Amino acid sequence: MKWGIISTGTIARTFARTVNGMQNPDETLAAVSSRSLDKAQAFAEEFGVTRAYGSYEEMMQDPDVDAVYIGTPNHLHYENAKMCLEAGKHVLLEKPMTTDAVQAVNLYKLAQEKHLFIMEAFWIRFLPGMQALRDTIDNGEIGELRHARVEFGFTAPEPRLERKLRADVGGGALLDIGIYTLGFLQFIMRDRVESFSTQVHFSPYGSDDFSVLQLCYPGGRTAHATQAIGTVMQRNAVIYGSTGAILIPDFQKIDRFTVAPYQGESHTVELPFSGTGYEYEILEVTRQVRAGSWYSNIFSPEDSLKVLRLLDEIREAWDFAYPWEKEE
């Protein structure tokens, strides 16, 4: 796949470093675009990208770009992805896919109409450890699934902290961190949430910086999620069943987990991954494009939409809307 990159920020740099580190002739960096030509040229020089563009629209005209990785701020995801699809480019769109489910539905419809691949870049779904975790649950190693708990929080110096929390660019812990915690729980539980209760704290930048969610799923299963920006919380998770539990020290970069029966010996499953971990989602894009599919069957539009619709419902419960939503 010949990749174009929109944005030159931190996550775009990780993506570029990942492609280069794969040393795979089928995965190459063809172009990078930014709203600043100087930034695009500096990025291209650092990562060996063939061409640099001072606008996103210019890169859309490049026939050598097959697929575009989008790493712009959250509030720009929809318009950036729509532009790429209309230009005939496949899309890997950084999380959250969009700031609400309606926008995501529109993108999926457009991709299907144009028969172009699109996927939210929820990279942890493609790690070997996630599939092993799925198999462990499905094989009944902890009995009947009953409850899961996950938390994730970080802090950062200014101005990065402000950028993560500014409401006018789609910031906030729910979109930035909740996409991980709730996405992980959706993978574990599979079903859509039936009901939830929540508590939230809002930051001086206009968005949420800490929230706690209690979730109820079909069959009496429950889950607990905490997400925070400005508070450091270990990325651990626990999955409880009727006969045992699974302990995960870092669900966001899962390379091992411990299966702990309530009676009997515990054992640890280790599945280290190479590089940054983004390699697996990149290969999934190429695999599906070559197969002629417009979506991934590992992380499908339905999977993505379950989480985005839940995020919408949570924000509605908070009576919180982003600035552009208030204008509508």
Side-chain angles (χ1 to χ4, degrees):
M1 191 70 63
K2 295 178 182 177
W3 289 94
I5 299 176
I6 289 182
S7 174
T8 57
T10 301
I11 202 161
R13 298 171 69 84
T14 301
F15 183 86
R17 188 170 67 252
T18 302
V19 174
N20 285 342
M22 292 170 74
Q23 297 182 341
N24 183 340
D26 292 334
E27 307 294 345
T28 59
L29 299 176
V32 60
S33 60
S34 171
R35 288 172 292 186
S36 163
L37 180 58
D38 288 343
K39 288 183 179 180
Q41 289 174 334
F43 187 100
E45 182 177 354
E46 180 177 356
F47 293 103
V49 182
T50 307
R51 290 175 295 282
Y53 295 99
S55 75
Y56 306 150
E57 292 78 10
E58 281 185 87
M59 193 178 74
M60 294 302 101
Q61 307 307 313
D62 190 332
D64 284 340
V65 172
D66 300 319
V68 177
Y69 170 76
I70 300 172
T72 50
N74 297 341
H75 71 304
L76 298 176
H77 286 185
Y78 175 72
E79 64 180 68
N80 292 160
K82 184 171 182 285
M83 173 185 63
C84 292
L85 293 171
E86 289 176 340
K89 311 297 185 185
H90 304 291
V91 174
L92 179 60
L93 180 55
E94 197 48 65
K95 342 162 277 303
M97 184 167 182
T98 52
T99 56
D100 63 59
V102 172
Q103 291 180 336
V105 168
N106 291 338
L107 290 179
Y108 285 130
K109 286 181 177 178
L110 181 59
Q112 186 174 19
E113 289 169 4
K114 292 185 170 292
H115 207 73
L116 292 166
F117 181 85
I118 188 169
M119 186 175 75
E120 183 178 15
F122 193 45
W123 64 283
I124 68 173
R125 283 290 289 263
F126 303 93
L127 296 178
M130 287 291 274
Q131 186 54 57
L133 182 62
R134 175 83 274 153
D135 293 341
T136 299
I137 296 170
D138 291 347
N139 291 339
E141 292 191 42
I142 60 169
E144 180 183 341
L145 183 60
R146 290 184 173 171
H147 180 73
R149 173 176 57 78
V150 62
E151 59 185 31
F152 182 4
F154 74 91
T155 191
E158 298 288 1
R160 184 169 180 261
L161 184 63
E162 179 181 349
R163 288 199 303 270
K164 287 288 186 180
L165 289 171
R166 279 174 48 195
D168 62 328
V169 295
L174 186 66
L175 276 184
D176 197 73
I177 303 299
I179 198 73
Y180 276 115
T181 56
L182 298 177
F184 176 80
L185 291 174
Q186 189 275 323
F187 173 77
I188 298 302
M189 298 295 183
R190 287 194 169 124
D191 293 309
R192 187 173 179 181
V193 172
E194 287 188 331
S195 63
F196 65 87
S197 59
T198 176
Q199 292 182 313
V200 63
H201 180 271
F202 289 97
S203 76
Y205 303 105
S207 71
D208 60 294
D209 60 6
F210 187 97
S211 64
V212 177
L213 298 162
Q214 183 72 25
L215 311 168
C216 297
Y217 296 84
R221 293 168 297 149
T222 59
H224 187 273
T226 306
Q227 37 284 318
I229 296 178
T231 303
V232 177
M233 306 181 74
Q234 298 301 312
R235 298 183 301 221
N236 53 40
V238 185
I239 303 167
Y240 297 96
S242 58
T243 63
I246 300 173
L247 315 175
I248 308 164
D250 188 344
F251 82 94
Q252 196 233 7
K253 295 183 178 180
I254 181 170
D255 59 3
R256 69 187 188 280
F257 57 86
T258 298
V259 182
Y262 300 143
Q263 297 181 2
E265 295 289 329
S266 298
H267 69 276
T268 298
V269 178
E270 296 190 11
L271 286 163
F273 57 86
S274 59
T276 65
Y278 288 15
E279 294 85 352
Y280 301 93
E281 68 177 0
I282 291 170
L283 292 173
E284 173 68 1
V285 175
T286 300
R287 183 174 77 89
Q288 295 296 350
V289 169
R290 287 178 174 173
S293 178
W294 66 272
Y295 67 93
S296 168
N297 52 13
I298 296 176
F299 185 56
S300 68
E302 181 183 0
D303 293 329
S304 183
L305 288 170
K306 281 179 183 175
V307 177
L308 287 170
R309 285 173 175 142
L310 176 58
L311 296 179
D312 287 349
E313 291 171 7
I314 293 167
R315 285 166 44 220
E316 183 178 357
W318 293 346
D319 194 25
F320 171 77
Y322 284 105
W324 57 88
E325 295 171 324
K326 295 174 184 178
E327 297 169 0
E328 295 177 355

